[in-house]
Amino acid sequence: MTSASSLYLDLLARALVGDLRRDPDDARTPRAGATDGVNFSASHPPPGDTMVGLARLDSLRDCVEVVLREGVPGDLIEAGVWRGGSAIYMRGLLEAFGDAHRHVVVADSFEGLPAPSHPADAEMRLHEIGYLSVSLSEVRANFRRYELLDHRVEFVEGWFKDSLPALRGRAWSLIRLDGDLYESTMDSLTNLYDGLSVGGFVIVDDYGAYEACRAACEDFRRQRSVVDDVVEIDWTGVYWRKTR
Ligand SMILES: C[S@@+](CC[C@H](N)C(=O)[O-])C[C@H]1O[C@@H](n2cnc3c(N)ncnc32)[C@H](O)[C@@H]1O
């Protein structure tokens, strides 16, 4: 990659986390992400187009670079996109790394989280947080603002349990799961994991933040005898690489 492409990605990441308008003397670090408990609350939406901090965007960049360098087959998907920032970054990464074919699939209800239905989610109240509901037209407009909206960005609207089964049979090189709940994480894994190519990455954003999310990953891995190492990215994000 040229240094110009690398500079573009650095700047894109900082724009997406909302860092460009931050007071440079502010002691908070955009590296930890907006859900670090410091500036994330039910009444104050995070400032950027993603609540994923720079550390998780850096890791996403590394994963996409590996997938492209090694020719791991398949498209990229984020399940749970909020304002779209991480998925916008995925499309920017494909552009900067010179990939001309892969698609980015953007899956969300576009109306926030469902009320808990699985016992592991019983205490979760995220469906009551109004700003977690971002419409499809807003997310589409966000892609357009970064000039990254084209036919290689596909939107899949609906609750994961209804929408993701239609994606079975597709090949993925990277699946990024950011639906917070046990139910949302399990629905994503159940419908997407079989399509993930060997050598591809599963990224789970809320593994450290929410016990319910971690429990879904552990249950799924146990059920499917997945023994690939879970690698910590930061205080909440993890990934594992599919080896078989
Ligand atoms: C924490 S936000 C995602 C943050 C985003 N990845 C970012 O970069 O900032 C969670 C998103 O998941 C979506 N979501 C959670 N569970 C869902 C489900 N079961 N079906 C559809 N969308 C869901 C919500 O609508 C919300 O947009």
Side-chain angles (χ1 to χ4, degrees):
M1 127 164 320
T2 65
S3 59
S5 303
S6 186
L7 282 170
Y8 163 73
L9 288 175
D10 290 346
L11 192 58
L12 179 59
R14 288 189 51 216
L16 287 165
V17 301
D19 193 35
L20 299 184
R21 291 190 175 278
R22 198 170 56 99
D23 175 354
D25 295 327
D26 186 343
R28 280 180 304 117
T29 166
R31 195 147 288 278
T35 51
D36 60 359
V38 176
N39 58 355
F40 179 82
S41 77
S43 52
H44 292 98
D49 290 322
T50 174
M51 35 180 99
V52 167
L54 287 176
R56 272 168 277 158
L57 290 185
D58 288 349
S59 168
L60 177 59
R61 173 174 170 170
D62 292 343
C63 292
V64 172
E65 187 169 12
V66 169
V67 155
L68 297 180
R69 190 175 59 233
E70 298 186 7
V72 178
D75 292 323
L76 287 66
I77 182 167
E78 182 170 54
V81 304
W82 190 51
R83 292 178 180 154
S86 303
I88 292 169
Y89 197 51
M90 289 176 178
R91 183 65 191 86
L93 286 164
L94 293 180
E95 205 57 32
F97 286 123
D99 177 273
H101 304 290
R102 293 176 202 247
H103 285 213
V104 172
V105 176
V106 180
D108 206 288
S109 66
F110 300 104
E111 51 177 286
L113 286 92
S117 64
H118 190 280
D121 294 325
E123 304 301 316
M124 302 282 267
R125 285 284 161 273
L126 296 173
H127 63 291
E128 293 170 357
I129 301 182
Y131 69 74
L132 289 176
S133 170
V134 182
S135 71
L136 174 51
S137 61
E138 248 178 281
V139 176
R140 195 188 288 277
N142 286 342
F143 270 85
R144 206 177 310 120
R145 285 197 294 130
Y146 291 90
E147 300 194 351
L148 288 168
L149 183 68
D150 65 2
H151 70 285
R152 291 169 62 197
V153 180
E154 296 176 52
F155 294 93
V156 174
E157 184 172 16
W159 300 116
F160 296 155
K161 66 180 167 52
D162 305 319
S163 64
L164 298 185
L167 300 179
R168 279 172 174 263
R170 274 184 79 151
W172 308 109
S173 53
L174 184 147
I175 60 178
R176 186 171 201 288
L177 315 184
D178 200 352
D180 303 353
L181 303 179
Y182 182 102
E183 177 194 325
S184 305
T185 307
M186 189 55 98
D187 286 342
S188 302
L189 285 167
T190 305
N191 289 296
L192 302 174
Y193 194 77
D194 288 333
L196 184 67
S197 304
V198 168
F201 291 89
V202 185
I203 301 172
V204 184
D205 195 79
D206 306 299
Y207 192 89
Y210 298 120
E211 218 173 292
C213 172
R214 185 166 56 252
C217 293
E218 285 170 356
D219 287 352
F220 181 83
R221 284 168 58 90
R222 200 175 314 111
Q223 287 160 17
R224 303 291 296 271
S225 306
V226 177
V227 292
D228 302 324
D229 288 342
V230 174
V231 180
E232 263 181 39
I233 302 166
D234 62 2
W235 66 279
T236 179
V238 300
Y239 69 80
W240 75 84
R241 195 168 186 203
K242 192 175 189 179
T243 55
R244 64 187 164 94

